[in-house]
Amino acid sequence: MEREVKGLYFGIDIEKNTTSISYFDTKLGLPKNVAENENLYNPCPIDMWNLDEKKASVMSHIKNVAKKIKIIAQESGIARITVTLSLFEKEILDLVVTSMMAAGIKRDLITCISHDEAFTYYAYSQKSNLTAGGVMMLDLSEDGLYAMLMSTAKVEKTTLILEKMIDSKDQDIVQAGKREIALSSVSDKILEKVMPLFSLRTVSSVYLSGTGFSLEDFPKDFTKVLTNHRRVFAGQNIYVKGACYAALAGDGNQRLQLAVKHRITSGVEVEIVERGSKKRFRVLYPCQNWYQAKRSIDVIIDDLRSIDVFLIPCDGSTQTKYKLDISDIPYRDGKRIRLRINFECSSDKVLNMEVKDLGFGEIVKSSGVTVKGSCEI
């Protein structure tokens, strides 16, 4: 039985210079790209080097994207918007979300994912014979060559998608990505870079994207190697369509757990006492995008000068424990210490924690003390 879809699911891909839009066509059961001539040219490159200087222009551009989406949605409404960016930096992500909200898009309708995640959603939404082995993306752009190998692994009852990457800034490869020299002049060098990934496992399909691969004809030897027992596809809309699939998967129909770049790969738990019994309380789940991985909990503690935070890797490897020192918070007898603990990731590798003394109602005023800590996740 097909589930009823209310509203349109949108994917947006914001590159340095262009922005493209896709929405899920329920009749076709596929993402549909907005016509190429309707895609938006970014008035200024979105990058970290000139973000403060060009912030107003970037915000104006994102607002125009949001307005365009609202026009496309019209009476159908918006179910969810997933934005994918090659520059997955907090300052840029915050700016994108703030700008879309300023254009009238509700915050709970907006998610942000990386290109690695968008490609994974796209690849694993295709026919199973294309994902039986590993799935590889070769992205050749002005930033060089970025290669991603996605593969599955079974851990207990969960199927994880794992990633291996190669990032090359070789000068010749960068020139090919800019279309300043022919792909044929660096195709051997590209193959030399990516062959270690091919040696890791069988690869069922390869996708080519980026300005350097925006060609009608590819070097014969290069093509011969890539197509050896593999299906090869070239296209410039893979990330935006992947974002569209991710928007759809946000309703809970995603069967696979992503343990790829920009996803946290450990769950986070703290120890609590409930009705006299010690238990673990799950704060963050593994395989979340780090930008979305945040939570706040209020607790009442007794005689504790530190809080144990447990990190449980999704691959089943040994858990670790981080001890968060809260000795600066004044101790009060009789379980009158009420704290708010904020957990938030600043990358897929760093978990930040902040503990605030809330006081205890009208009985005890807050000391105003805040304790901070961070650990690798």
Side-chain angles (χ1 to χ4, degrees), residues 99-119:
S99 302
M100 297 194 81
M101 289 174 64
I105 307 293
K106 293 180 180 179
R107 177 63 184 92
D108 61 356
L109 299 181
I110 308 165
T111 56
C112 297
I113 64 174
S114 65
H115 274 184
D116 301 62
E117 295 167 283
F119 168 62

Side-chain angles (χ1 to χ4, degrees), residues 134-192:
V135 182
M136 187 181 292
M137 162 69 92
L138 302 181
D139 189 336
L140 181 60
S141 69
E142 62 182 52
D143 294 322
L145 176 70
Y146 189 60
M148 301 172 261
L149 173 64
M150 309 298 180
S151 58
T152 59
K154 199 79 172 178
V155 178
E156 296 181 352
K157 296 181 180 180
T158 303
T159 300
L160 297 176
I161 299 180
L162 307 174
E163 178 181 17
K164 296 289 185 181
M165 299 155 288
I166 290 176
D167 192 1
S168 173
K169 306 292 185 184
D170 179 275
Q171 186 175 355
D172 292 336
I173 291 177
V174 168
Q175 283 186 292
K178 293 179 178 179
R179 304 286 294 276
E180 293 176 352
I181 61 175
L183 177 62
S184 57
S185 64
V186 295
S187 57
D188 287 346
K189 184 176 286 190
I190 289 174
L191 289 174
E192 183 181 346

Side-chain angles (χ1 to χ4, degrees), residues 132-373:
V135 182
M136 187 181 292
M137 162 69 92
L138 302 181
D139 189 336
L140 181 60
S141 69
E142 62 182 52
D143 294 322
L145 176 70
Y146 189 60
M148 301 172 261
L149 173 64
M150 309 298 180
S151 58
T152 59
K154 199 79 172 178
V155 178
E156 296 181 352
K157 296 181 180 180
T158 303
T159 300
L160 297 176
I161 299 180
L162 307 174
E163 178 181 17
K164 296 289 185 181
M165 299 155 288
I166 290 176
D167 192 1
S168 173
K169 306 292 185 184
D170 179 275
Q171 186 175 355
D172 292 336
I173 291 177
V174 168
Q175 283 186 292
K178 293 179 178 179
R179 304 286 294 276
E180 293 176 352
I181 61 175
L183 177 62
S184 57
S185 64
V186 295
S187 57
D188 287 346
K189 184 176 286 190
I190 289 174
L191 289 174
E192 183 181 346
K193 297 283 185 185
V194 301
M195 286 314 291
L197 291 181
F198 282 117
S199 67
L200 293 176
R201 63 176 300 124
T202 301
V203 176
S204 300
S205 54
V206 178
Y207 295 85
L208 307 177
S209 190
T211 51
F213 289 134
S214 185
L215 306 168
E216 291 187 6
D217 296 310
F218 290 83
K220 290 184 179 179
D221 290 344
F222 181 73
T223 303
K224 184 178 180 181
V225 172
L226 291 186
T227 57
N228 183 23
H229 301 295
R230 290 180 284 264
R231 298 287 300 277
V232 179
F233 306 90
Q236 301 304 316
N237 297 314
I238 292 172
Y239 295 129
V240 69
K241 289 183 177 179
C244 196
Y245 280 120
L248 192 67
D251 269 0
N253 62 342
Q254 179 67 26
R255 302 183 310 276
L256 305 171
Q257 293 293 308
L258 278 61
V260 303
K261 187 178 179 182
H262 297 297
R263 294 281 176 128
I264 62 172
T265 54
S266 291
V268 179
E269 297 180 352
V270 293
E271 201 167 60
I272 64 170
V273 176
E274 185 178 39
R275 296 177 182 177
S277 300
K278 283 188 176 182
K279 296 181 180 180
R280 291 279 190 88
F281 180 75
R282 176 64 59 91
V283 179
L284 297 177
Y285 285 86
C287 301
Q288 288 186 76
N289 178 288
W290 67 260
Y291 187 63
Q292 269 79 240
K294 58 184 72 174
R295 190 167 185 181
S296 178
I297 61 173
D298 290 357
V299 297
I300 296 172
I301 65 170
D302 194 1
D303 188 14
L304 286 179
R305 299 289 78 203
S306 64
I307 297 173
D308 291 336
V309 179
F310 297 90
L311 308 174
I312 299 89
C314 63
D315 62 2
S317 55
T318 305
Q319 69 178 30
T320 57
K321 182 172 70 174
Y322 172 77
K323 201 172 278 292
L324 178 60
D325 185 358
I326 59 169
S327 57
D328 287 344
I329 294 176
Y331 174 72
R332 296 185 285 270
D333 290 322
K335 295 183 179 180
R336 292 183 299 166
I337 305 175
R338 190 165 63 96
L339 308 176
R340 176 163 295 154
I341 312 175
N342 297 314
F343 297 85
E344 184 171 358
C345 293
S346 54
S347 75
D348 56 2
K349 301 298 182 187
V350 178
L351 171 67
N352 301 307
M353 291 153 284
E354 180 184 74
V355 183
K356 295 182 179 180
D357 180 9
L358 299 180
F360 205 84
E362 297 180 357
I363 301 173
V364 180
K365 289 185 177 180
S366 167
S367 65
V369 174
T370 297
V371 174
K372 297 183 179 181

